[in-house]
Amino acid sequence: MTTQSAADGHLTPAARNTVLAYLAVAGVVLLLMMLFGLAMRLGQAQLLPLGLERFYQVLTAHGAGMVGIAAIGSAAVMWYFLARYVRLSTAIFALNLGLFLVGAVAILGSIFFGGFAGAWTFLYPLPANSMGLWSAHAAALFMGGLLLIGTGFLILHLDIARAILAAYGSLPRALGWPQLFGGDTSEPPPAAVVASTMVLIVNILGITAGAAILVMTLVNLYVPAFTIDPLLAKNLIYFFGHVFVNATIYMAVIAVYEILPRYANRSWKPNRVFLAAWTASTVMVMIVYPHHLLMDFNMPVWAHAMGQIISFTSGLPVLLVTAYGALMIVHRANMRWDLTSGLLFLGTFGWAAGVIPAIIDALIPINRVMHNTLWVPGHFHFYLLLGVGAMIFGFMYWMTKGERPAPDSNTDRLAFWGFLLGGLGFVFTFLYSGRHSIPRRYAEHAAEWVPYSQIGALFAALVVIAVAVFVLRFLCSLGCTRSAPPRAA
């Protein structure tokens, strides 16, 4: 096992190339998953004869693929900056990418060769009750692929925990608790360390829960006498899913903390409010998931009450300190705006604005009406596409700058505005469709819904074109970036 030292802020060539490999994989797979999403919107718009079975297969690949690849891109951001402060293992970092690729091939094989179409949620007992659409082997291949990806991320987070414990002595110290609660006046840990510590805590617990239900589902596929409590299965799946998806945001936002201040010649130093926000979110992100189960009448009342109350506050502490901090960083600063700084600032906006429809959907009276409408994909596409996606693309551009960054081309600027316009149009079409009670997960749309789908497909196509420019720009720059580390703006 090799160990990466990054005390001076630079990585070894092997570590740097692994980060670039993460971003290359993230860019290509993100583009592929967006094409899947565009195909579904075109099918609903009656512009592409996708067919019922193929639609739900594409829906399964799009959902599982987007969650996984957002985590890969965000993990690259976190690992790159965390390596400035602790000693991480490049071999384990590479192992995680390898397991992801093997798992992704297994998942795609289970879907497009085995016909599995049970969605990323694989709710029990659907995997074993396909009504002849797929075999137990196909469902097992899908579960095995998810297990491989989860195992890779679990090993990665354990290595990050090892490195942080070696550098800071304990996880509370890495979260800045001595400065927050103990009156310690010394310098708190850097923002990247605080955020990474929060992520490893919640993700280790979330991935463990996900692995437990995946193993139980695998046993049930081949031993039908082994049954699972459906409510327990749903709790485990949504605990894992909610934590894992939210962790992608908390990993990607490290790029905002580390890069944006360089463009303003300022620093982002954690204070007690910042530390309190991350500690609060560490707890709340793990106990808010019951808001996904408001339709399950047999859930304990206290769980519904907890999920409802925490929904109003879960992401707000970190979001508020990040949004406020970003505004203060750029306010009256001698800011240099380019694709990197623009995408990172857009990512902060996308995260903040995307939370609003999520909170609205969490209100029980509204959830009763909107739960199975396109409002739901509207709110999570908002903060994943314009939040996490923008942050990852901003980091990719930063990695291509080199020692003498050239000005952005007109094509780059057009791609940025195309991404912004297309992204906003795409998510607002979802939200507006949800407001008019158009259901989600329907392969075929009624005639009166088709115009909404056609408008959504148009904006989706604009996003795909813009992202294709981002990804091609990054891939074409790889020959230069391997030997030229990015510099501060």
Side-chain angles (χ1 to χ4, degrees):
M1 179 185 301
T2 59
T3 303
Q4 169 65 30
S5 173
D8 61 354
H10 297 282
L11 304 177
T12 63
R16 181 174 177 74
N17 286 339
T18 308
V19 173
L20 294 175
Y22 265 69
L23 294 178
V25 170
V28 171
V29 177
L30 270 172
L31 188 56
L32 176 63
M33 293 301 114
M34 287 181 177
L35 286 171
F36 284 173
L38 174 60
M40 286 189 290
R41 292 302 272 164
L42 287 172
Q44 292 168 332
Q46 298 182 3
L47 297 173
L48 181 69
L50 204 54
L52 295 179
E53 291 184 18
R54 185 63 75 189
F55 177 90
Y56 289 106
Q57 292 169 4
V58 172
L59 176 67
T60 301
H62 177 77
M66 274 300 184
V67 172
I69 204 59
I72 284 291
S74 300
V77 174
M78 178 179 69
W79 198 91
Y80 180 88
F81 290 111
L82 184 63
R84 292 177 181 271
Y85 310 107
V86 301
R87 295 170 65 87
L88 298 170
S89 166
T90 302
I92 287 179
F93 187 47
L95 173 65
N96 179 49
L97 181 61
L99 288 174
F100 173 84
L101 291 173
V102 175
V105 170
I107 290 171
L108 291 175
S110 74
I111 294 171
F112 293 111
F113 292 102
F116 183 77
W120 82 264
T121 45
F122 57 91
L123 287 176
Y124 175 83
L126 182 59
N129 291 273
S130 69
M131 300 179 70
L133 290 176
W134 61 80
S135 67
H137 298 319
L141 191 59
F142 184 85
M143 304 303 154
L146 289 183
L147 259 182
L148 276 176
I149 293 173
T151 300
F153 273 101
L154 183 61
I155 295 172
L156 177 67
H157 287 307
L158 289 174
D159 179 64
I160 291 173
R162 171 202 58 75
I164 288 178
L165 288 172
Y168 290 91
S170 70
L171 296 182
R173 292 184 68 84
L175 284 171
W177 282 13
Q179 291 81 4
L180 179 60
F181 299 116
D184 188 337
T185 57
S186 63
E187 186 95 0
V193 173
V194 175
S196 301
T197 304
M198 180 270 201
V199 168
L200 76 88
I201 291 172
V202 302
N203 247 357
I204 286 176
L205 294 173
I207 291 171
T208 302
I213 185 58
L214 283 169
V215 170
M216 286 191 281
T217 303
L218 280 169
V219 174
N220 171 258
L221 284 170
Y222 294 104
V223 187
F226 176 83
T227 57
I228 310 170
D229 181 335
L231 190 60
L232 171 65
K234 194 170 183 181
N235 272 270
L236 288 172
I237 290 169
Y238 275 96
F239 174 70
F240 151 71
H242 184 90
V243 165
F244 195 75
V245 170
N246 275 266
T248 64
I249 301 171
Y250 299 133
M251 290 189 283
V253 76
I254 294 173
V256 176
Y257 297 149
E258 292 279 347
I259 300 175
L260 207 56
R262 298 163 188 264
Y263 276 75
N265 291 317
R266 292 175 173 174
S267 61
W268 193 314
K269 292 184 178 179
N271 53 26
R272 295 185 70 183
V273 175
F274 181 93
L275 298 174
W278 277 94
T279 292
S281 288
T282 303
V283 177
M284 288 192 283
V285 78
M286 291 190 291
I287 62 176
V288 71
Y289 81 92
H291 69 194
H292 289 284
L293 289 84
L294 292 176
M295 294 292 181
D296 294 84
F297 62 87
N298 51 346
M299 278 286 286
V301 174
W302 65 263
H304 279 317
M306 178 180 70
Q308 178 72 108
I309 294 169
I310 301 299
S311 293
F312 297 124
T313 59
S314 175
L316 289 182
V318 170
L319 175 59
L320 289 178
V321 298
T322 302
Y324 178 77
L327 288 173
M328 291 301 101
I329 285 291
V330 304
H331 180 61
R332 294 184 177 179
N334 185 21
M335 194 76 186
R336 186 168 69 85
W337 290 103
D338 64 4
L339 260 291
T340 296
S341 54
L343 283 166
L344 291 176
F345 200 72
L346 170 62
T348 307
F349 159 76
W351 179 22
V355 166
I356 297 171
I359 292 176
I360 293 173
D361 185 52
L363 295 168
I364 290 176
I366 293 177
N367 191 272
R368 283 177 177 166
V369 179
M370 308 284 271
H371 180 74
N372 285 316
T373 73
L374 288 175
W375 183 275
V376 176
H379 88 63
F380 64 70
H381 276 89
F382 207 138
Y383 60 74
L384 286 178
L385 176 63
L386 293 173
V388 178
M391 292 175 191
I392 293 173
F393 295 135
F395 179 63
M396 289 171 66
Y397 263 90
W398 189 68
M399 290 292 289
T400 64
K401 292 293 184 181
E403 289 291 344
R404 296 181 181 278
D408 295 322
S409 67
N410 289 333
T411 304
D412 291 326
R413 297 190 192 96
L414 282 174
F416 173 83
W417 291 109
F419 179 74
L420 175 59
L421 176 63
L424 287 173
F426 179 64
V427 297
F428 276 110
T429 303
F430 267 143
L431 294 172
Y432 193 71
S433 301
R435 180 181 179 276
H436 289 272
S437 299
I438 298 178
R440 60 173 170 149
R441 296 171 177 160
Y442 272 37
E444 293 184 351
H445 276 190
E448 56 268 32
W449 304 339
V450 169
Y452 297 89
S453 305
Q454 291 174 340
I455 295 171
L458 177 66
F459 284 119
L462 189 55
V463 171
V464 169
I465 293 171
V467 170
V469 173
F470 295 160
V471 174
L472 287 174
R473 170 80 144 74
F474 175 77
L475 294 177
C476 292
S477 304
L478 282 183
C480 302
T481 55
R482 279 202 298 271
S483 57
R487 67 168 191 151

